[in-house]
Amino acid sequence: MKYDRVYNFSAGPSMLPVEVLESVRDNMLNYEGSGMSVMEMSHRSKVYEKIIGEAEANLRDLMGIPENYKVMFVQGGATLQFAMLPMNLMKNNVADYIVTGAWSNKAYAEAKKYGKINLIASSKDKNYSYIPDVSDLPISEDADYVYICENETIHGTTFRDLPNTKGKILVADQSSMFLSKPVNVADYGVIYGGVQKNVGPAGLSIVIMREDLITDQLPEYVPTYMSYKIHADNDSMYNTPNCWAIYVCGEVFKYLKKIGGLEEMNRRNEEKAKVLYDFLDASSMFNGTVEKQFRSLMNVPFVTESAELDAEVVAATKAAGFDNLKGHRSVGGLRASIYNAMPKEGVEALVDFLKDFEAKH
Ligand SMILES: *Cc1c(COP(=O)(O)O)cnc(C)c1O
């Protein structure tokens, strides 16, 4: 591969498009004639205002974000949002959580610090290898919101249909599927994600929130920084934002528009994931761990018959230039994260390698 890069199957931080990295490199020392790097410029400067303004406009365009939704660039990872969401959205102090894997479980545990949290569905009984039926759940009458992690990065599941929230607000962690396909923003009260899976460098979350949910009627204890109203009213500039990460995300948004937007991205992602899933379905050595209809297009966990053989495969792939394929300890085996920036050739090369490995064993 160009620049001696490896095919990096990391779950995050993960690959970025080479074209974006090249553009960032070319502008590193002197961003578009400003005489300085984006890392060195004031967030209040005209140049930077244009960077963040265009990033938001392009994101709105890509996702078709309606006028009555705010876009906020908030520092910290998605993990900070696990606390910030209940702090800001609770009015009755009640929320309903659907737990389908490690990330929704973490969000659920954190939310419990701030109110009465009901676990209304879970797929723990089969080690989170499927998505429960969410068409008719016992939604609490006084729930302030219903929470999901729409794509579970570790367990490799994804929602096919959104839950029927019976009129309650839906909040979705989309960290590991952000901008991988078109979504209908109006179906949600809040969509948020850490950007380091699919869109940019770590240390930034993008929060897309319906305006009427943003309030300053918050409990006394809520830190100023953790009020969405503060971020919304100040256009993500209440304090110094993560200027660099926002800039790189903005370059990724431009790139996605250039290739044809999220419809095209989704088409490529489906085509790419099919290569790997078709192989797993045909293989007698490697097996996917997720029920077919809930398989993620982004994170693909799979196992062999033993932990020893798993480890052997991981070592062999690494030696052959495929990096970060070791599965998370809670699932074991291997996991290939094949986000937007992973080229189809990367997945094809991996499948060729695994076929060969299987044939030799
Ligand atoms: C990675 C990840 C997180 C945590 O992100 P941080 O930026 O490390 O806090 C949360 N949710 C999902 C779905 C993730 O994939």
Side-chain angles (χ1 to χ4, degrees):
M1 230 193 358
K2 210 173 170 187
Y3 307 114
D4 279 335
R5 287 162 59 82
V6 294
Y7 288 119
N8 177 7
F9 292 89
S10 169
S14 34
M15 289 180 85
L16 287 167
V18 170
E19 215 180 296
V20 168
L21 295 174
E22 284 174 334
S23 151
V24 166
R25 174 198 63 195
D26 294 344
N27 283 287
M28 180 68 80
L29 284 114
N30 183 351
Y31 177 79
E32 292 190 356
S34 64
M36 60 184 86
S37 159
V38 175
M39 278 185 258
E40 302 169 299
M41 62 180 58
S42 164
H43 58 297
R44 309 275 177 209
S45 63
K46 283 263 171 316
V47 191
Y48 195 75
E49 267 174 23
K50 183 160 174 266
I51 292 173
I52 192 171
E54 281 182 0
E56 178 175 338
N58 284 328
L59 179 64
R60 284 186 173 277
D61 195 25
L62 273 170
M63 291 181 74
I65 301 175
E67 283 287 318
N68 63 326
Y69 282 72
K70 285 279 184 193
V71 172
M72 293 170 269
F73 298 101
V74 185
Q75 300 215 41
T79 303
L80 187 72
Q81 298 304 313
F82 296 169
M84 204 161 157
L85 286 159
M87 278 183 184
N88 282 262
L89 294 179
M90 297 272 209
K91 293 185 179 69
N92 303 327
N93 264 337
V94 179
D96 289 349
Y97 275 61
I98 298 172
V99 172
T100 50
W103 290 114
S104 47
N105 202 28
K106 278 197 168 168
Y108 167 62
E110 182 70 17
K112 280 186 185 172
K113 292 185 177 178
Y114 306 102
K116 181 169 179 295
I117 308 299
N118 304 306
L119 179 62
I120 56 164
S122 164
S123 53
K124 193 177 178 195
D125 59 336
K126 292 185 191 157
N127 196 28
Y128 304 118
S129 57
Y130 70 104
I131 301 289
D133 181 358
V134 290
S135 60
D136 185 18
L137 293 170
I139 307 284
S140 312
E141 222 146 79
D142 49 356
D144 291 313
Y145 61 92
V146 176
Y147 184 98
I148 59 168
C149 173
E150 201 168 333
N151 185 83
E152 286 280 1
T153 322
I154 291 174
H155 290 88
T157 55
T158 205
F159 280 72
R160 276 161 42 113
D161 302 301
L162 293 177
N164 173 3
T165 63
K166 303 180 181 170
K168 305 295 181 194
I169 293 150
L170 180 65
V171 174
D173 176 356
Q174 290 195 345
S175 296
S176 50
M177 57 173 279
F178 201 70
L179 301 183
S180 66
K181 64 170 196 180
V183 296
N184 183 23
V185 177
D187 289 342
Y188 305 79
V190 186
I191 293 174
Y192 79 96
V195 302
Q196 75 274 26
K197 309 290 160 68
N198 232 351
V199 257
L204 173 70
S205 286
I206 296 177
V207 182
I208 301 161
M209 185 175 283
R210 221 174 62 201
E211 248 164 19
D212 60 291
L213 303 174
I214 302 174
T215 173
D216 51 9
Q217 303 299 305
L218 298 176
E220 194 72 4
Y221 67 80
V222 176
T224 307
Y225 187 80
M226 293 178 75
S227 150
Y228 290 117
K229 183 120 181 28
I230 283 284
H231 292 275
D233 286 355
N234 292 282
D235 296 323
S236 303
M237 291 268 204
Y238 172 70
N239 70 336
T240 320
N242 187 337
C243 299
W244 179 256
I246 295 167
Y247 158 60
V248 178
C249 288
E251 294 301 301
V252 171
F253 302 158
K254 284 182 201 163
Y255 168 82
L256 288 172
K257 282 180 75 168
K258 202 173 97 185
I259 67 162
L262 301 189
E263 297 280 353
E264 172 60 15
M265 196 65 251
N266 183 49
R267 193 194 61 76
R268 293 186 190 185
N269 284 331
E270 281 182 351
E271 193 179 78
K272 192 168 72 186
K274 187 174 187 307
V275 174
L276 185 49
Y277 283 124
D278 282 352
F279 164 70
L280 292 175
D281 289 344
S283 166
S284 45
M285 178 182 273
F286 300 101
N287 291 299
T289 58
V290 172
E291 278 182 26
K292 278 187 190 174
Q293 54 180 325
F294 305 116
R295 286 166 160 181
S296 167
L297 291 185
M298 300 280 102
N299 310 99
V300 184
F302 55 100
V303 294
T304 67
E305 61 183 21
S306 75
E308 292 71 40
L309 188 54
D310 289 341
E312 201 184 314
V313 183
V314 171
T317 53
K318 188 161 172 67
F322 305 99
D323 220 343
N324 288 309
L325 279 160
K326 189 174 184 313
H328 190 271
R329 61 189 176 282
S330 57
V331 182
L334 293 93
R335 173 178 46 166
S337 292
I338 50 175
Y339 296 119
N340 285 357
M342 170 62 70
K344 187 177 172 201
E345 300 79 67
V347 178
E348 286 169 343
L350 175 66
V351 164
D352 286 345
F353 182 86
L354 294 175
K355 269 185 191 156
D356 192 50
F357 185 96
E358 184 169 346
K360 285 185 182 141
H361 282 70

